[in-house]
Amino acid sequence: MDKQVTSLADAMAGITDGSVVLVGGFGQVGHPMALIDALIEQGAKDLTIVCNNAGVGRSGLPRLMKLGRVRKIVCSYPRTAAVFSELYAAGQLELEITPQGTLAERIRAGGAGIGGFYTRTGAGTLLAQGKETRSIDGKDYVFETPLRGDVALIEAWEADRFGNLTYRGSGRNFNPVMVTAAALSIVQVQRVVEAGTIVPEAVVTPGLFVNRVVEVPYAPPFAAIEY
């Protein structure tokens, strides 16, 4: 029942080569920088990263890519990091572009056990190539499959020892859906509070979906960006 681990190294235990890793955040907001740095130290490689964007600057996800540890990235907007452009142009990184709303819904479907859904987004474009399409009420829709991960790396505002999570402001973004869609969910939080402290109605992610929680002191979100 106690989901809290004492170190970032313990939080990364068991992540294997070839894993699909869901990474929360929108730019640097709600982005689990400490967990990404810990994953770099842990050493897993040949990873598929699912994230809204490919990171910012050269720390975090860009550094993981630069080290050659990422085989593929699934995201809606990859060119926020020069490292991505360099590796992709050199043929060293695979890319699956997914529109932002579709990405969120594919992850939500993965967490909810839904077999897929139809959306008008991407219909009639290159993004629909190779996918099932059908006409509904005279309009074309594209069938999108769910996304699940072996691991989810998440940032939340606070947790109790049972893993119940709250988020703060726009830091919520992709994190709540990602934490439901992975076999192993690892969460960095700015503070861990006593069990029973969080008002039940304030819980966004129940501890049922959380495997490990590690407390990481607050750091300014853009302090580590290097362009």
Side-chain angles (χ1 to χ4, degrees), residues 3 111 163 176 179-187 204-211:
K3 308 293 180 70
V179 79
T180 69
L184 174 64
S185 293
I186 305 169
V187 185
V204 177
T205 297
L208 172 70
F209 296 106
V210 175
N211 299 103

Side-chain angles (χ1 to χ4, degrees), residues 16 28 76 136 177 212:
T16 60
Q28 293 288 89
S76 63
I136 302 174
V177 291
R212 300 171 189 168

Side-chain angles (χ1 to χ4, degrees), residues 3-219:
K3 308 293 180 70
Q4 188 173 9
V5 295
T6 57
S7 71
L8 288 164
D10 289 341
M12 294 294 110
I15 298 178
T16 60
D17 294 350
S19 292
V20 176
V21 184
L22 311 180
V23 181
F26 192 106
Q28 293 288 89
V29 180
H31 196 52
M33 289 293 293
L35 295 183
I36 297 168
D37 288 343
L39 179 61
I40 291 171
E41 294 300 319
Q42 191 261 6
K45 59 184 183 297
D46 195 33
L47 302 172
T48 295
I49 299 294
V50 180
C51 191
N52 180 57
N53 61 284
V56 179
R58 294 187 177 273
S59 60
L61 280 180
R63 181 170 173 237
L64 186 68
M65 290 187 287
K66 186 69 173 178
L67 291 170
R69 305 265 287 280
V70 179
R71 178 182 64 83
K72 178 180 179 180
I73 185 164
V74 181
C75 68
S76 63
Y77 187 65
R79 298 185 68 180
T80 52
V83 169
F84 164 81
S85 297
E86 295 164 4
L87 294 175
Y88 185 70
Q92 298 175 13
L93 188 64
E94 298 176 36
L95 171 66
E96 181 180 339
I97 284 285
T98 302
Q100 191 172 95
T102 302
L103 179 65
E105 185 65 6
R106 288 183 68 191
I107 297 167
R108 191 194 71 82
I114 296 171
F117 60 93
Y118 288 95
T119 176
R120 291 183 64 193
T121 304
T125 74
L126 292 174
L127 294 177
Q129 288 188 352
K131 298 178 182 179
E132 178 189 345
T133 60
R134 65 182 296 182
S135 178
I136 302 174
D137 293 331
K139 297 176 181 178
D140 289 339
Y141 285 74
V142 181
F143 185 74
E144 296 285 356
T145 55
L147 267 175
R148 288 190 54 82
D150 300 299
V151 183
L153 304 183
I154 301 301
E155 184 187 59
W157 165 241
E158 64 181 2
D160 60 23
R161 65 185 178 88
F162 300 123
N164 296 307
L165 306 179
T166 69
Y167 303 86
R168 190 173 189 180
S170 58
R172 181 166 172 167
N173 55 66
F174 281 83
N175 287 298
V177 291
M178 285 185 169
V179 79
T180 69
L184 174 64
S185 293
I186 305 169
V187 185
Q188 73 172 66
V189 296
Q190 294 188 23
R191 60 182 187 179
V192 176
V193 299
E194 293 294 328
T197 302
I198 302 175
V199 178
E201 290 80 3
V203 173
V204 177
T205 297
L208 172 70
F209 296 106
V210 175
N211 299 103
R212 300 171 189 168
V213 172
V214 59
E215 188 173 19
V216 178
Y218 173 78

